[in-house]
């Protein structure tokens, strides 16, 4: 087949700017369109089922301008499955699902034609999105659909466990603590970020009885939903209706829904729908003509090629509109070029200005595209209003991610405070900070996604159980709470993982012959581990209710004052002041504005520390998350491994 040597010129000559690729209804007609400029023929195959020998008919598409192929049927085709067959060089034929398909059959092999609007739950149009004016106002909670409710203690009925529908169940409890939806409300987070819910490849949807698990970072059909999260994976409409119910329920409860999107690579390479639709166009290639692997997953997509860029933008707009999503989290976002990222931000803004957009400012390998064009964290000033996971504050708080024994600020590292202070100041320039310049990278605080636990790597509690194993449990609990407090009281957008608020662990059974120790007993990469490892154990909420209550108080505090959610670097510089304690690790800072003043003292030591207050304060949040209105105006005690928030008594 003809190989493209100059993609830029090829796009100028061939790119198509319509957003009508795929299947559309017009009056009584059904129109199919796809783009493949070098194909010598394209056929539409209609089927009765999502798999098996049940073809209804095959029709040729007609080539119209700019590489677009077209066929229309003079009827409204509904509840029918379809594929395209692309022919190249008059001899090679590939049959594949349509990359633009918006619904699909079992395991995503065939597209499915449906009226998606007809699957809206009753009341869909009357439930608005919760408004989030600025990313700093958001508190994001990362959840995997299955982990959320697969535990028998979740209180979710058997048939809904591990499914979209689990998110719609009210009033569930384990003993006396709320679980699932009620837990989300009780904790007070503003957004749920769902690990991949688009159709991914590695769980066999036709075997719901089989023990299977995956995070889902293996994309198959970007505009379709994952069938294994539906109570009926064989019904292509059920997953759509049920996901809409999930979104509507969360919206009704004031919680936004963020979708984790993985446009940076496809699970299959030569066998992917993209490659079969147009070989060597949608993926980046190395100079030797082989697929590059910037994702570490076997390939990387080419956002710098116009038709993949448009694919991404149209896909995101479709998902945002059809499912009323409130934002997107981009996996390995640095593999996308900056121009694409800005284009997406602009296009999403045009649809709704309050959608969140953030991602990982790193790659999983080396990309052939030059690093100054890619959305790396260090290029952040070129794509404002797009957040980036703050690995600086993460590692400063809990220690390096890739060495389990490495300690962080909360577990005794006395050199971590320089980087931590940058994080407290929203990773934007601050007049008092000169050290750790690499941790000062944000254009505005809304770019800093502050976290110390996510689905990748050890949970915070597991990390502490390794690197702080010489401390007793009580001290490790204090470290955990301090870590949570630092995430939630830093400037920027805080991010927590499901269960972080009650010491989530990912237990692992060491394999035969493996040494049993603190490292082998927990899982740091549980992408396909069983529920035993991944499920959130609701009994742990009951056991660690003090930790949960503390996180809940932190969230309430953060929401109580805009001083914890400053929106610009100028505001951070003006309102945030670090006090001189004569000891870098003993961090004391104030937040002052609009007549209010908070003083926050952070003691990472195992002995108590004292501060001299120069104004009259009360304790707004103590080490247990409680308030004490008793006025203090001189010596105040900061207990070991804790953070105390004082609020000035005005007048
Ligand atoms: Ca799937």
């Amino acid at each position: 087949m003809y190989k493209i040597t100059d993609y830029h010129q090829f796009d100028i000559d061939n790119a198509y700017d319509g957003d009508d690729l795929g299947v559309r209804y017009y009056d009584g007609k059904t129109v199919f369109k796809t783009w493949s400029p070098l194909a010598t023929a394209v056929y539409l195959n209609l089927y009765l089922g999502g798999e098996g020998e049940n073809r209804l008919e095959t029709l040729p598409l007609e080539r119209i301008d700019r590489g677009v192929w077209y066929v229309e049927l003079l009827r409204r085709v509904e509840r029918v499955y379809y594929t395209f067959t692309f022919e190249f060089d008059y001899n090679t034929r590939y049959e594949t699902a349509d990359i633009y398909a918006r619904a699909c059959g079992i395991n995503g092999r065939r597209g499915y034609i449906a009226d998606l609007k007809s699957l809206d739950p009753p009341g869909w149009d009357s439930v608005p999105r919760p408004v989030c004016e600025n990313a700093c106002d958001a508190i994001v909670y990362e959840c995997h659909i299955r982990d959320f409710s697969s535990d028998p203690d979740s209180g979710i009925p058997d048939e809904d466990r591990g499914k979209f529908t689990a998110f719609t169940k009210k009033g569930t409890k384990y003993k006396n603590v709320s679980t699932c939806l009620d837990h989300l409300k009780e904790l007070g987070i503003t957004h749920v970020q769902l690990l991949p819910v688009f159709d991914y490849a590695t769980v066999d949807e036709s075997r719901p009885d089989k023990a299977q698990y995956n995070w889902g970072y293996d994309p198959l059909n970007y505009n379709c939903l994952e069938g294994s999260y539906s109570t009926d994976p064989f019904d292509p409409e059920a997953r759509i209706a049920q996901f809409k119910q999930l979104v509507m329920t969360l919206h009704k409860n004031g919680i936004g829904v963020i979708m984790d999107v993985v446009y940076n690579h496809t699970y299959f390479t030569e066998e992917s729908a993209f490659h079969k639709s147009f070989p060597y166009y949608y993926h980046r290639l190395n100079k030797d003509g082989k697929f590059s692997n910037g994702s570490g997953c076997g390939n990387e997509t080419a956002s710098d090629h116009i038709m993949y860029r448009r694919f991404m933008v149209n896909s995101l707009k479709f998902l945002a509109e059809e499912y009323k999503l409130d934002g997107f989290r981009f996996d390995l976002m640095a593999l996308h070029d900056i121009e694409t990222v800005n284009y997406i931000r602009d296009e999403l803004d045009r649809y709704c200005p309050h959608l969140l957009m953030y991602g990982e400012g790193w790659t999983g390998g080396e990309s052939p595209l030059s690093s100054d064009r890619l959305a790396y964290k260090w290029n952040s000033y070129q794509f404002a209003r797009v957040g980036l996971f703050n690995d600086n504050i993460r590692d400063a708080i809990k220690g390096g991610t890739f060495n389990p024994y490495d300690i962080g600020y909360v577990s005794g590292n006395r050199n971590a405070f320089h980087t931590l202070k940058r994080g407290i100041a929203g990773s934007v320039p601050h007049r008092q900070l000169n050290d750790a310049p690499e941790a000062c990278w944000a254009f505005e605080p809304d770019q800093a996604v502050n976290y110390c636990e996510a689905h990748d790597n050890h949970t915070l509690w597991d990390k502490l159980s390794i690197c702080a194993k010489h401390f007793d449990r009580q001290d490790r609990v204090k470290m955990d709470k301090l870590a949570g407090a630092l995430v939630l009281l830093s400037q920027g957008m805080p991010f927590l993982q499901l269960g972080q608020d009650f010491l989530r662990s990912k237990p692992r059974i060491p394999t035969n012959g493996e040494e049993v120790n603190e490292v082998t007993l927990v899982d740091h990469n549980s992408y396909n581990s069983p529920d035993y490892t991944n499920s959130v154990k609701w009994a742990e909420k009951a056991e660690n209710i003090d930790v949960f209550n503390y996180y809940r108080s932190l969230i309430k505090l953060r929401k109580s004052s805009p001083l914890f959610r400053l929106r610009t670097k100028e505001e951070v510089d003006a309102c945030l002041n670090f006090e001189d304690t004569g000891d870098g690790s003993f961090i004391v800072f104030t937040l002052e504005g609009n007549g209010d003043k908070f003083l926050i003292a952070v003691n990472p030591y195992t002995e108590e520390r004292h501060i001299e207050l120069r104004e009259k304060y009360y304790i707004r949040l103590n080490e247990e998350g409680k308030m004490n209105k008793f006025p203090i105006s001189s010596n105040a005690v900061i207990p070991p491994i804790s953070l105390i928030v004082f609020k000035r008594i005005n007048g």
Side-chain angles (χ1 to χ4, degrees):
M1 190 181 139
Y2 166 78
K3 283 222 169 164
I4 303 166
T5 48
D6 183 346
Y7 281 92
H8 180 67
Q9 189 60 46
F10 184 87
D11 283 338
I12 291 172
D13 297 337
N14 295 283
Y16 172 66
D17 65 1
D19 66 352
D20 57 351
L21 296 173
V23 188
R24 296 286 188 281
Y25 294 131
Y26 297 100
D27 303 324
K29 294 189 295 191
T30 309
V31 174
F32 297 80
K33 273 190 187 177
T34 190
W35 180 81
S36 190
L38 299 182
T40 47
V42 182
Y43 300 91
L44 166 69
N45 311 294
L46 297 175
Y47 293 93
L48 260 182
E51 58 184 355
E53 302 284 320
N54 46 36
R55 189 162 58 180
L56 292 165
E57 57 183 324
T58 290
L59 300 162
L61 277 76
E62 184 189 342
R63 193 185 163 121
I64 50 176
D65 63 338
R66 296 193 78 83
V68 175
W69 297 78
Y70 172 100
V71 67
E72 65 178 42
L73 300 178
L74 297 175
R75 61 180 195 275
R76 214 175 142 90
V77 180
E78 253 182 277
R79 304 207 162 97
V80 169
Y81 299 80
Y82 77 109
T83 61
F84 288 128
T85 299
F86 293 90
E87 181 197 88
F88 298 95
D89 300 328
Y90 303 98
N91 56 34
T92 311
R93 286 185 179 193
Y94 304 112
E95 183 177 356
T96 175
D98 174 13
I99 59 173
Y100 296 95
R102 293 175 165 188
C104 64
I106 194 83
N107 285 322
R109 294 199 185 96
R110 293 174 185 163
Y112 176 80
I113 306 162
D115 178 359
L116 271 53
K117 277 273 141 252
S118 72
L119 303 172
D120 292 352
W124 176 252
D125 290 327
S126 63
V127 181
R129 280 192 178 83
V131 173
C132 177
E133 281 181 17
N134 187 284
C136 300
D137 296 340
I139 300 162
V140 176
Y141 202 49
E142 184 191 40
C143 302
H144 183 278
I145 296 287
R146 195 173 166 91
D147 297 352
F148 185 67
S149 63
S150 60
D151 178 22
D153 292 337
S154 63
I156 297 291
D158 266 1
E159 62 273 21
D160 298 305
R161 240 179 253 162
K163 311 292 181 192
F164 291 140
T165 47
F167 284 76
T168 66
K169 305 294 171 197
K170 280 181 262 186
T172 57
K173 275 192 182 321
Y174 169 75
K175 291 192 176 162
N176 58 343
V177 301
S178 62
T179 61
C180 297
L181 174 64
D182 282 21
H183 168 78
L184 300 177
K185 284 161 61 180
E186 189 186 11
L187 181 57
I189 48 96
T190 64
H191 290 75
V192 160
Q193 177 199 303
L194 299 171
L195 267 78
V197 293
F198 54 77
D199 179 32
Y200 60 80
T202 48
V203 165
D204 181 354
E205 299 175 2
S206 69
R207 297 287 311 278
D209 50 314
K210 198 172 132 192
Q212 300 183 78
Y213 184 94
N214 212 287
W215 282 342
Y217 294 94
D218 40 71
L220 200 55
N221 294 296
Y222 287 106
N223 295 338
C224 303
L225 297 171
E226 168 58 20
S228 63
Y229 298 142
S230 163
T231 57
D232 183 0
F234 287 93
D235 175 359
E237 299 187 356
R239 62 185 82 168
I240 296 169
Q242 291 173 1
F243 185 62
K244 285 182 172 180
Q245 285 161 15
L246 174 156
V247 174
M248 193 172 87
T249 306
L250 290 174
H251 282 179
K252 266 188 185 165
N253 288 287
I255 299 169
V257 180
I258 296 165
M259 187 165 160
D260 190 340
V261 288
V262 189
Y263 292 102
N264 67 78
H265 75 281
T266 54
Y267 179 67
F268 296 110
T269 305
E270 276 102 339
E271 292 301 307
S272 70
F274 287 94
H275 191 75
K276 286 176 166 179
S277 302
F278 187 175
Y280 304 106
Y281 179 82
Y282 294 103
H283 296 99
R284 288 192 190 124
L285 305 173
N286 286 322
K287 284 208 175 78
D288 61 5
K290 297 202 170 104
F291 293 99
S292 59
N293 187 17
S295 68
C297 303
N299 62 61
E300 69 184 271
T301 53
S303 61
D304 47 318
H305 298 172
I306 298 301
M307 289 305 284
Y308 191 69
R309 176 179 299 166
R310 286 190 186 147
F311 175 84
M312 285 174 70
V313 170
N314 289 332
S315 171
L316 290 159
K317 276 162 60 179
F318 160 70
L319 293 166
E321 290 187 45
E322 187 65 42
Y323 295 106
K324 284 201 198 172
L325 299 175
D326 302 276
F328 296 98
R329 176 262 188 203
F330 291 77
D331 190 60
L332 301 183
M333 187 170 70
L335 282 175
H336 305 317
D337 65 300
I338 292 165
E339 203 180 330
T340 297
V341 169
N342 281 319
Y343 180 45
I344 292 169
R345 180 75 266 185
D346 291 346
E347 288 293 305
L348 290 180
D349 280 346
R350 216 194 293 254
Y351 165 63
C352 171
H354 303 309
L355 302 189
L356 296 176
M357 191 176 155
Y358 55 93
E360 294 179 311
W362 53 76
T363 67
E366 210 180 319
S367 172
L369 207 67
S370 71
S371 59
D372 60 336
R373 287 185 62 189
L374 295 172
Y376 276 112
K377 193 174 110 213
W378 59 77
N379 292 330
S380 58
Y381 57 95
Q382 294 183 66
F383 45 97
R385 292 185 56 243
V386 177
L388 292 147
F389 282 93
N390 191 348
D391 51 343
N392 304 101
I393 200 172
R394 176 194 72 192
D395 290 359
I397 289 173
K398 72 169 181 179
T401 296
F402 301 105
N403 172 2
Y405 291 100
D406 196 38
I407 54 174
Y409 177 82
V410 301
S411 40
N413 182 338
R414 301 293 170 237
N415 298 311
F417 67 87
H418 297 292
T419 307
L420 178 60
K421 282 172 142 179
R422 288 290 193 183
I424 289 170
S427 304
V428 293
H430 188 275
R431 69 201 134 74
Q432 292 174 298
L433 303 179
N434 299 304
D435 296 314
E438 74 287 353
C440 172
W441 49 264
F443 184 69
E444 293 290 4
D446 67 0
Q447 268 193 315
V449 179
N450 297 325
Y451 74 119
C452 67
E453 171 173 339
H455 66 275
D456 274 322
N457 313 121
H458 289 111
T459 69
L460 172 62
W461 182 243
D462 287 345
K463 168 82 174 166
L464 289 169
S465 69
I466 299 168
C467 76
K469 64 171 176 172
H470 302 299
F471 290 86
D472 60 26
R473 189 179 189 281
Q474 225 180 342
D475 280 344
R476 278 185 277 120
V477 170
K478 288 179 191 166
M479 291 173 188
D480 183 284
K481 287 161 67 177
L482 178 53
L486 290 167
V487 166
L488 284 159
L489 300 181
S490 289
Q491 301 298 327
M493 183 183 92
F495 172 103
L496 308 170
Q497 181 178 220
L498 168 63
Q500 180 181 336
D501 45 302
F502 48 88
L503 309 182
R504 182 174 181 179
S505 173
K506 292 188 181 175
R508 180 178 175 273
I509 299 168
T511 50
N512 274 342
E514 209 176 2
E515 190 191 328
V516 177
N517 62 34
E518 63 277 3
V519 172
T520 59
L521 280 170
V522 292
D523 201 336
H524 69 99
N525 183 15
S526 63
Y527 74 98
N528 66 353
S529 303
D531 291 337
Y532 168 78
T533 296
N534 278 305
S535 68
V536 72
K537 281 82 179 168
W538 291 103
E540 288 173 2
K541 181 179 173 187
E543 287 156 26
N544 303 305
I545 195 71
D546 53 326
V547 179
F548 169 78
N549 286 331
Y550 182 71
Y551 272 80
R552 188 182 174 211
S553 302
L554 286 168
I555 288 173
K556 265 195 194 150
L557 173 62
R558 184 177 176 89
K559 286 175 163 179
S560 74
S561 169
L563 288 169
F564 297 106
R565 300 174 273 122
L566 299 170
R567 293 183 179 188
T568 66
K569 45 184 172 286
E570 291 77 17
E571 281 181 299
V572 173
D573 204 44
C575 301
L576 169 67
N577 196 62
F578 290 98
E579 307 271 307
D580 183 8
T581 63
D583 171 2
S585 285
F586 181 40
I587 299 174
V588 176
F589 64 99
T590 58
L591 290 165
E592 185 172 10
N594 284 332
D596 279 337
K597 185 173 183 181
F598 292 93
L599 183 145
I600 294 125
V602 196
N603 176 14
Y605 295 97
T606 49
E607 308 85 37
E608 63 182 37
R609 284 283 184 277
H610 296 254
I611 49 168
E612 213 43 56
L613 299 171
R614 290 183 298 269
E615 292 169 281
K616 201 188 279 182
Y617 286 91
Y618 70 92
I619 294 178
R620 177 63 184 79
L621 182 114
N622 71 6
E623 72 277 21
E624 290 169 345
K626 301 212 167 90
M627 181 150 51
N628 184 343
K629 287 263 188 179
F630 188 79
I632 321 170
S633 51
S634 55
N635 189 293
V637 178
I638 315 302
I641 319 177
S642 78
L643 176 153
I644 305 295
V645 180
F646 300 89
K647 189 170 185 196
R648 189 175 64 193
I649 298 170
N650 292 328

